[in-house]
Amino acid sequence: MMINSSRVSHFVLTAYFHTAHFKHMFAVLVLFVYVVILCANVLLIVVICMNRSLHEPMYVFLCSLFVNELYGSTGLFPLLLVQILSDIHTVPRPLCFLQIFCLYTYASVQFSSLCVMSYDRYLAICCPLQYNTHMTSSRIALLIALSWFYPFASIFVLVSLSFSLQLCGNVIHKVYCDNYSVVKLSCSDTSVNNLYGIFYTLTTVLLVLFIFYSYMRIIKVCVSGSKQTRQKAVSTVTPHLVSLLNFSCGCFFEIAQNRFDLKHVPNMLRIFLSLYWLTCQPLFNPIMYGLKSTKIRITCKHFFIGKT
């Protein structure tokens, strides 16, 4: 659909298919998932904030991670619900770029938070004697601030570059707005966008490599340590690694959809893959950390028992 760039006031999301009488069922399902995400993450945030025994660096970083899950989910689900219930799937231009900003900052904060948590676990397991010296209250606050500031600043630049492009189309073949789809609609030079995109991708890859490096060092210490040390380290590291792999795979699915022609893949599967990293991670993290962390699990039990 070729239109004058000055007239691009909205975008059309074409991945929605005609569901007839089933759209209310899909809406209820999406609403249920959103409510579960909200309840699970808010519960763990409240439990960590209200219990002094959980005011340790690892749990403070987890609390920041759960806040990000709420932020990312809110960037997706309300608009997704509106689109499912609508007959015309259009999004105003400002709202579309706002969603891009929210979803991309969510992903970036996710990787930054996992990086900070890997650093924390590295110090706790590989340098236990220096842990309290390095992980002070001011250092914790600085790490959390950086894990949020860098993503917001870098994605602000990314979205600003895309917002300034002249567009010759307004059709996005997704169920939500994404930056790559908008850039593909441009009829002006996108060299700066591409170069900045490469820079941003490389910094994200470096974060992921640092995370894996930290956990490789931890595993090396575990192998040479006592049985009790190995068990404690494995129980601590496993949720972080599984969370990283789950989110990385979800992001890979999304990147693959953007970069390659997947028209031969069924539409329902493409929608599922595009939503995986935005829906499964906010559900996965509170369940994973809530079940694997003995301290959080016991505190949650006491929290509910105390309410009854």
Side-chain angles (χ1 to χ4, degrees):
M1 183 177 180
M2 299 297 293
I3 58 177
N4 191 302
S5 61
S6 62
R7 291 171 52 200
V8 178
S9 59
H10 66 274
F11 292 96
V12 180
L13 305 176
T14 62
Y16 291 93
F17 54 91
H18 184 62
T19 55
H21 302 295
F22 294 103
K23 70 178 182 180
H24 293 97
M25 182 186 72
F26 285 121
V28 170
L29 178 62
V30 169
L31 180 62
F32 174 75
V33 173
Y34 184 40
V35 170
V36 170
I37 289 172
L38 291 178
C39 292
N41 285 280
V42 167
L43 170 65
L44 292 180
I45 291 169
V46 170
V47 165
I48 292 172
C49 290
M50 292 183 63
N51 290 272
R52 297 186 66 85
S53 63
L54 296 176
H55 292 181
E56 299 175 10
M58 182 175 74
Y59 300 109
V60 174
F61 294 138
L62 274 177
C63 191
S64 175
L65 186 70
F66 297 144
V67 170
N68 187 47
E69 303 299 0
L70 294 176
Y71 168 70
S73 301
T74 303
L76 171 71
F77 282 96
L79 187 58
L80 190 63
L81 275 168
V82 170
Q83 292 297 325
I84 290 173
L85 294 172
S86 300
D87 295 322
I88 302 174
H89 307 294
T90 60
V91 184
R93 180 187 173 107
L95 187 58
C96 189
F97 279 102
L98 177 61
Q99 185 176 54
I100 292 172
F101 179 79
C102 290
L103 298 185
Y104 278 57
T105 47
Y106 161 72
S108 191
V109 171
Q110 188 81 199
F111 281 118
S112 297
S113 297
L114 291 173
C115 182
V116 168
M117 290 163 67
S118 71
Y119 173 67
D120 172 69
R121 291 301 83 203
Y122 167 77
L123 288 179
I125 296 172
C126 299
C127 311
L129 298 179
Q130 291 83 35
Y131 181 74
N132 290 329
T133 303
H134 288 292
M135 203 55 69
T136 60
S137 298
S138 57
R139 179 68 62 86
I140 294 168
L142 177 63
L143 288 172
I144 291 176
L146 286 175
S147 69
W148 282 82
F149 176 77
Y150 165 73
F152 271 71
S154 58
I155 299 303
F156 178 80
V157 174
L158 184 76
V159 175
S160 297
L161 289 172
S162 300
F163 190 82
S164 63
L165 290 173
Q166 290 185 333
L167 305 179
C168 292
N170 67 343
V171 176
I172 296 176
H173 303 290
K174 304 286 281 288
V175 294
Y176 57 86
C177 297
D178 81 300
N179 188 68
Y180 185 74
S181 297
V182 171
V183 173
K184 285 198 299 183
L185 296 172
S186 173
C187 48
S188 57
D189 183 31
T190 59
S191 300
V192 176
N193 301 71
N194 295 334
L195 286 173
Y196 186 79
I198 292 171
F199 166 76
Y200 172 73
T201 302
L202 288 176
T203 57
T204 303
V205 170
L206 287 175
L207 285 179
V208 175
L209 290 176
F210 176 81
I211 296 170
F212 278 114
Y213 171 77
S214 300
Y215 288 130
M216 290 305 102
R217 292 291 301 271
I218 291 172
I219 291 171
K220 185 178 179 181
V221 169
C222 294
V223 171
S224 59
S226 63
K227 183 178 179 181
Q228 184 179 2
T229 303
R230 286 198 299 270
Q231 289 176 341
K232 183 179 179 181
V234 169
S235 64
T236 303
V237 168
T238 300
H240 302 303
L241 273 178
V242 174
S243 179
L244 173 65
L245 291 173
N246 181 65
F247 191 66
S248 298
C249 288
C251 290
F252 174 77
F253 292 152
E254 176 61 9
I255 293 170
Q257 281 205 84
N258 284 333
R259 303 294 175 176
F260 303 106
D261 183 13
L262 299 179
K263 291 181 180 178
H264 61 283
V265 178
N267 190 43
M268 280 293 292
L269 180 58
R270 278 188 281 136
I271 292 173
F272 171 77
L273 293 177
S274 69
L275 290 173
Y276 181 85
W277 66 290
L278 294 168
T279 54
C280 288
Q281 194 73 0
L283 281 170
F284 178 86
N285 276 343
I287 294 172
M288 187 67 182
Y289 289 112
L291 292 176
K292 291 296 292 183
S293 173
T294 305
K295 237 180 176 183
I296 291 179
R297 192 167 63 248
I298 292 173
T299 307
C300 283
K301 287 181 181 178
H302 289 165
F303 179 81
F304 283 111
I305 292 172
K307 296 292 182 181
T308 57

